[in-house]
Amino acid sequence: MIENLAKWVGSHSPAASDNVILWSAADCERERKEHERTEIRQREELARLRALLRQKEDLIEQQDLARKESEHRLLNDLQVVKSLLALQGRASGNAVVVSQLAVAASRVVTIERIHRRLHSYDGAQRIASKRYLDDLCRDFSTLFCEDQTRQQVISVEGIEAELPAVTGISLGFIVNELITNAIKYGNGRIMVSLEPHTGGGYALSVSNDGQALQEGFEPAASKGLGMKIVRSFVEKIDGELRVGLGDNGQGTRFTVLFQ
Ligand SMILES: Nc1ncnc2c1ncn2[C@@H]1O[C@H](COP(=O)(O)OP(=O)(O)OP(=O)(O)O)[C@@H](O)[C@H]1O
Ligand SMILES: [Mg+2]
């Protein structure tokens, strides 16, 4: 049969000078086997890649679970720290110690609030700034609504920007201290805004009605812990802190420039 085929091929062959490639039956068989081998190799490679993908998905799921667990533990631990500070304050019987520990406890609550917010975004690496600031300020307003004597309103304005979650944590602490001061030293409206900055990057500002800062106020020279916290987080995001007057040349405005 192969001989007949070879003869047929021979009798139907164009002259060698025609530059045509001739295939014998043996060549065809070799080609078929090579195809078979390639197909088997490809199937094995596909199975290997599928197994790798499954492993990767399992790993991501495990890491996600571990992250959720550790965040949950962190929130629980912060609750414990807050309770311990309150307990220690009550036990001291000293009014100054009680009030200092109450301030410390409220800062622990801030850490918890920021992490709870970030936790609610389900571990996203980037956060939508407007939603985040809205959420933080709503938390604040809820806290201050409990204090019926407070008449301050916090509003959030500005653009929506996608910021790294790590920057969001620093901004959360900065906004927390600046709003706390705006509530403490200002009165009326408190405005939080995030705008693009003309020199590139963003400008986050917290302004309030009420008394202006003292002439020549220098955050670095301030004895308060609030300014120290603000400055350390501004440094962390390679930002710049500016102070000035609020809207219409009234009240106070703190601005943080960052990339
Ligand atoms: N929004 C503001 N309006 C007017 N004055 C302000 C405002 N924010 C800060 N200040 C002034 O700056 C000072 C330093 O603020 P900082 O937050 O560092 O300290 P504090 O609020 O006095 O104490 P702490 O924050 O440690 O509880 C304040 O004591 C206040 O005189
Ligand atoms: Mg303060």
Side-chain angles (χ1 to χ4, degrees):
M1 154 88 177
I2 289 177
E3 269 170 27
N4 287 344
L5 188 64
K7 262 188 221 154
W8 185 90
V9 168
S11 61
H12 288 77
S13 295
S17 59
D18 286 354
N19 260 348
V20 176
I21 298 168
L22 293 179
W23 285 69
S24 70
D27 286 336
C28 290
E29 184 61 11
R30 209 175 305 118
E31 183 73 0
R32 193 184 62 73
K33 286 206 166 130
E34 186 53 41
H35 267 300
E36 251 176 39
R37 277 195 291 274
T38 311
E39 210 179 303
I40 290 169
R41 271 201 305 275
Q42 282 174 343
R43 274 209 200 106
E44 284 170 357
E45 183 64 3
L46 197 66
R48 197 181 66 82
L49 289 175
R50 281 207 179 113
L52 270 178
L53 196 67
R54 248 196 320 275
Q55 261 178 29
K56 195 178 154 200
E57 280 167 0
D58 286 352
L59 214 65
I60 291 174
E61 211 171 295
Q62 277 171 25
Q63 277 180 345
D64 200 41
L65 205 70
R67 180 186 57 76
K68 281 186 179 144
E69 263 174 32
S70 92
E71 273 177 5
H72 194 70
R73 218 172 309 126
L74 171 72
L75 295 178
N76 284 345
D77 289 350
L78 288 172
Q79 285 280 349
V80 174
V81 174
K82 188 184 86 178
S83 308
L84 283 177
L85 287 171
L87 207 68
Q88 200 164 341
R90 280 199 295 275
S92 79
N94 177 323
V96 179
V97 174
V98 171
S99 92
Q100 286 299 309
L101 289 180
V103 172
S106 91
R107 284 191 167 118
V108 172
V109 173
T110 303
I111 303 173
E112 189 208 338
R113 201 164 51 221
I114 290 169
H115 280 277
R116 201 173 284 285
R117 274 292 159 214
L118 292 171
H119 181 68
S120 72
Y121 306 149
D122 216 17
Q125 296 297 302
R126 300 186 78 79
I127 51 164
S129 61
K130 182 76 168 43
R131 179 183 166 197
Y132 178 57
L133 292 174
D134 270 338
D135 286 346
L136 281 184
C137 292
R138 197 169 334 107
D139 292 344
F140 249 110
S141 299
T142 313
L143 271 183
F144 286 100
C145 276
E146 286 165 12
D147 181 353
Q148 297 296 321
T149 58
R150 292 278 174 192
Q151 293 300 313
Q152 279 137 312
V153 178
I154 307 170
S155 50
V156 182
E157 272 190 353
I159 54 150
E160 184 64 281
E162 287 277 310
L163 302 175
V166 275
T167 307
I169 294 179
S170 296
L171 294 182
F173 284 105
I174 293 168
V175 165
N176 177 71
E177 288 303 327
L178 294 179
I179 292 182
T180 306
N181 280 353
I183 290 166
K184 216 157 133 184
Y185 305 108
N187 52 50
R189 207 173 47 115
I190 297 169
M191 180 78 76
V192 178
S193 89
L194 182 77
E195 301 288 349
H197 181 54
T198 40
Y202 302 100
L204 170 84
S205 69
V206 176
S207 56
N208 60 267
D209 294 344
Q211 267 208 329
L213 280 165
Q214 279 176 335
E215 185 98 3
F217 175 83
E218 192 38 75
S222 168
K223 300 240 178 336
L225 186 54
M227 282 298 128
K228 285 196 180 68
I229 293 174
V230 170
R231 285 177 47 242
S232 89
F233 280 103
V234 169
E235 215 170 274
K236 207 166 167 186
I237 55 172
D238 275 333
E240 185 190 329
L241 178 65
R242 292 185 181 174
V243 291
L245 293 170
D247 291 338
N248 309 319
Q250 304 272 304
T252 301
R253 183 193 313 277
F254 285 86
T255 305
V256 178
L257 305 178
F258 66 99
Q259 289 298 317

